Structure formats: structure tokens, C-alpha cells
């Protein structure tokens, strides 16, 4: 235990000492002698009453001293320092949505699910990227959940209506559903785990320990020549420890090898993620729940010094001493 304002104790002791000295130097009260007082003071009943009175006065002095010491200690603010290493459950999630015409209903369902999840997040960071022939980052990884929920609400409304400025910037290239480029852009949304903090001179422990995942929703109908192939984007994800969870409502190859669906499945599983086919947008909540359960990880955060006030015991002692003084004061009344 430590005292934040330790100087209060010697100050209180000095005040008590000065008060005691002034009390002893006061003039004695004048008294008058009484004849034959010994007849009264020598009675056994008188002697017994006198002993009780002196005992109560001594006890009152002791209780007063305890009360003053306890209140002075409480005023000095006792604190307790401990070191804790909390367990943190953190994830980085990037929503990577193909906004080609056939994907709007599925994308809206995903935005709606994460809009609700963002209200319950604690420590997670979430970001969102949309793509078609080019990619646009709607908002970067953030733990400002109110802001994220607002952005997801706007995204859901725009995807439901299929119009507005929401899609601006996604048609700047040639082709459609350039999956490799879109996935590569989403992966680049994560901070570089190899980056060195220039001030501290060590790796960023928080970014290294966070679970990283991309929720990729695409109809998998590639049209055009992307800069990144799907395999190259998957290799980039694996190199950054990013797991890709692919949601495909357009899987028409029924698992035949070499087909687009099988290629997307292989790319997702290469990163340690999973591949899901969607019969309808109503299946999105169940799949997102599976992703959430899979991605739940924990790690021990850096040790933290915790300072806690501990005034309970001196205030408790002061309360007991004060109650005893009140009781004695009542018994000492004539």
C-alpha cells in the first residue's frame, strides 16, 4: 500500500501535538475546598463510579486518537499498485464486396449483418472495400463502431436501391468482377506486420497478435484482365497471415475441378479460410456466425500498471471509532 499524499500524516501529528501542548498550558479552573469531602470520596460506590468514569475517559481518548489517525490516513489517499496482463480478444475484419449487378442483394445482407455486429464489437476493428473493375475503400479499419455502423447503414441502403454515388470509382477499369485485384486491395487494407515503430524501435505487438480476416463476397464471374490473378492475391493474403472467407452466390460448377468455384475455394482454403456457397441472401447471417466463431482468438496484452484507491479500511476504522465515541459521549452525560 502507498499513500499519495503522505505529508498529511506528519501534518496531522503536528496539529495534534500543538493542540495537546496548548491544552496543558491552559490555566486551571478555580476550585473551592469542601469540608469532610473524604466521607464521600472514600465510599466504595464512589470509588467504583470514579474508576468507571476514568476508564470511559481513557477509552474515549483512545477512540479519538484512532479516529484522527484513520481519517488522516484516508485523507492521505491510500492506493494499491498491481500489474495486470489482460486477455484481449481482437480481430481485424475487412468486408470485401463485389458490387457487380448480381451481387447487390447479397452485399446488402452482409452489410446488414455487420451493421448489427458492429454495435456489439469490443476491441475488433472493421473496414470495408468494394470493387468491380476497380476498387474503392469505403472506410479503413476502425474501432469507432458508431462510425462503422453509420457507414454500413448507408452501404446497405445504397445496395438495396442499386443507385447513387455509392458505386462511384468502381468502374474506372476495363472488365467486371476483377476478383484478384479486389482481393489484393482488401488485403492491403491491413497494416504491415513487419513495420517497425520508429519511436519504440520494435515490432508492433498489437498488429502482430490480431487475427486478420477478409469476408469476400463475389459472384466469381470474372470478365477482363486483372493485374492480380486470384492465385497471386491468395498468396499475398497467406504472406500477411490473412484468412479469406469467400461467399459465392454464383457457384454453378458444382465442385468440378478447374472450374471458377473450385478455384475460389482453393484460394480461400490456401489462406486458412473457408468457402461458402449461398443459396440466397438469407443464408448470410448463419455463415457470418461461423466465420465469427472460427476467427475468435485471444492473446495476452502487454502488462499494465493498475492503480486503485483503497480508502475502505481507514474509513471503516474511522466509522467504528466515531460510533464508539458517540456511544461513550452518551454514557458520560450527567
Amino acid at each position: 500500500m502507498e499513500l499519495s499524499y503522505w505529508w498529511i500524516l506528519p501534518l496531522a501529528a503536528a496539529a495534534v501535538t500543538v493542540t495537546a501542548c496548548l491544552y496543558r498550558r491552559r490555566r486551571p479552573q478555580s476550585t473551592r475546598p469542601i469540608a469532610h469531602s473524604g466521607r464521600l470520596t472514600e465510599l466504595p460506590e464512589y470509588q467504583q463510579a470514579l474508576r468507571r468514569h476514568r476508564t470511559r475517559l481513557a477509552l474515549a481518548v483512545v477512540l479519538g486518537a484512532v479516529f484522527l489517525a484513520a481519517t488522516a490516513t484516508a485523507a492521505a489517499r491510500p492506493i494499491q499498485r498491481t500489474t495486470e496482463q489482460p486477455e484481449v480478444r481482437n480481430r481485424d475484419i475487412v468486408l470485401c464486396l463485389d458490387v457487380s449487378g448480381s451481387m447487390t442483394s447479397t452485399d446488402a445482407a452482409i452489410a446488414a449483418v455487420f451493421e448489427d455486429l458492429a454495435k456489439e464489437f469490443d476491441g475488433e476493428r472493421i473496414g470495408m472495400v468494394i470493387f468491380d473493375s476497380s476498387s474503392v475503400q469505403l472506410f479503413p479499419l476502425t474501432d469507432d463502431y458508431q462510425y462503422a455502423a453509420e457507414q454500413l447503414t448507408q452501404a446497405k441502403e445504397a445496395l438495396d436501391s442499386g443507385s447513387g454515388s455509392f458505386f462511384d470509382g468502381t468502374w474506372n477499369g476495363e472488365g467486371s468482377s476483377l476478383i484478384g485485384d479486389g482481393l489484393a486491395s482488401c488485403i492491403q487494407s491491413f497494416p504491415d506486420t513487419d513495420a517497425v515503430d520508429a519511436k519504440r524501435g520494435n515490432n508492433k505487438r498489437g498488429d502482430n497478435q490480431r487475427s486478420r480476416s477478409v469476408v469476400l463476397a463475389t459472384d466469381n464471374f470474372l470478365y477482363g484482365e486483372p493485374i492480380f490473378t486470384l492465385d497471386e492475391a491468395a498468396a499475398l493474403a497467406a504472406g500477411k497471415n490473412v484468412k479469406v472467407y469467400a461467399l459465392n452466390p454464383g457457384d454453378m460448377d458444382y465442385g468440378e475441378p478447374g472450374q471458377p468455384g473450385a478455384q475460389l475455394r482453393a484460394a480461400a482454403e490456401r489462406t486458412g479460410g473457408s468457402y461458402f456457397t449461398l443459396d440466397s441472401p438469407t443464408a448470410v447471417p448463419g455463415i457470418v456466425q461461423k466465420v465469427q466463431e472460427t476467427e475468435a482468438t485471444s492473446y495476452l496484452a502487454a502488462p499494465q500498471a493498475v492503480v486503485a484507491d483503497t480508502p475502505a479500511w481507514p474509513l471503516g476504522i474511522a466509522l467504528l471509532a466515531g460510533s464508539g465515541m458517540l456511544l461513550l459521549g452518551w454514557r458520560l452525560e450527567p
Side-chain angles (χ1 to χ4, degrees), residues 187 233-242 270-271:
I187 294 167
L236 181 64
K240 287 181 171 289
N241 296 321
V242 177
R270 177 180 177 182
T271 66

Side-chain angles (χ1 to χ4, degrees), residues 237-249:
K240 287 181 171 289
N241 296 321
V242 177
K243 295 181 180 180
V244 177
Y245 296 90
L247 284 64
N248 181 9

Side-chain angles (χ1 to χ4, degrees), residues 158-210:
L159 289 164
D160 281 334
S161 64
S163 62
S165 60
F166 175 78
F167 302 95
D168 290 351
T170 61
W171 303 315
N172 291 341
E174 296 182 359
S176 177
S177 295
L178 302 185
I179 306 167
D181 291 348
L183 179 56
S185 298
C186 295
I187 294 167
Q188 295 296 342
S189 299
F190 296 99
D192 189 358
T193 54
D194 296 329
V196 176
D197 190 327
K199 295 182 179 179
R200 299 182 182 179
N202 56 7
N203 288 334
K204 295 181 179 179
R205 174 180 174 86
D207 285 337
N208 285 329
Q209 294 289 342
R210 299 180 74 91

